[in-house]
Amino acid sequence: MVTKPADQTAAMAQLEMITDRQRAVLDLVVQHWTSKEIARELGISPNTVDQRINAVRTKLGARDRAETARLYAELNGIFIASVAIRGPFRNCFRSSHSSISCRGEWKSC
């Protein structure tokens, strides 16, 4: 799909509204991490995680956590598997650059 220049400008504007701390949380949300897992990883409380997710949800006009993750991923060019993956690769996702991230470790495909 080819993105129109106006769409790219709007997407960039939406991404600029998201803070670095919110990005850190959303990067893990798109990998299907729970609020407790994210809190433990980032050294913050689960309530803070939820507050950051809700702030991004409002900025993107999403209805819920899942839509927030989907919209954030689309803006960043991240592919999210539509099925839940269990086992050692359950927290992996594929970026638009044919790499797989497994909890922060990038591996080329």
Side-chain angles (χ1 to χ4, degrees):
M1 178 174 109
V2 177
T3 307
K4 298 176 186 176
D7 291 342
Q8 289 175 339
T9 303
M12 292 303 294
Q14 285 182 307
L15 281 175
E16 288 175 3
M17 293 188 309
I18 301 171
T19 68
D20 289 341
R21 291 179 179 184
Q22 291 167 344
R23 286 176 193 271
V25 170
L26 265 291
D27 286 340
L28 299 176
V29 169
V30 298
Q31 295 179 58
H32 305 285
W33 286 38
T34 66
S35 291
K36 285 183 180 181
E37 290 172 325
I38 295 168
R40 195 174 311 118
E41 178 73 16
L42 299 179
I44 57 179
S45 76
N47 287 337
T48 301
V49 170
D50 293 337
Q51 288 173 355
R52 291 182 183 168
I53 293 167
N54 286 330
V56 175
R57 181 183 56 75
T58 301
K59 290 176 182 181
L60 298 181
R63 291 181 307 244
D64 54 27
R65 180 183 177 120
E67 187 176 26
T68 302
R70 184 185 58 78
L71 291 172
Y72 176 78
E74 285 177 7
L75 290 171
N76 284 290
I78 300 169
F79 169 77
I80 301 176
S82 60
V83 295
I85 301 171
R86 298 290 177 230
F89 297 104
R90 87 174 183 99
N91 292 310
C92 298
F93 68 95
R94 183 178 300 274
S95 75
S96 60
H97 305 292
S98 294
S99 297
I100 294 178
S101 172
C102 296
R103 293 199 184 228
E105 296 177 22
W106 288 95
K107 300 173 184 171
S108 183
C109 296

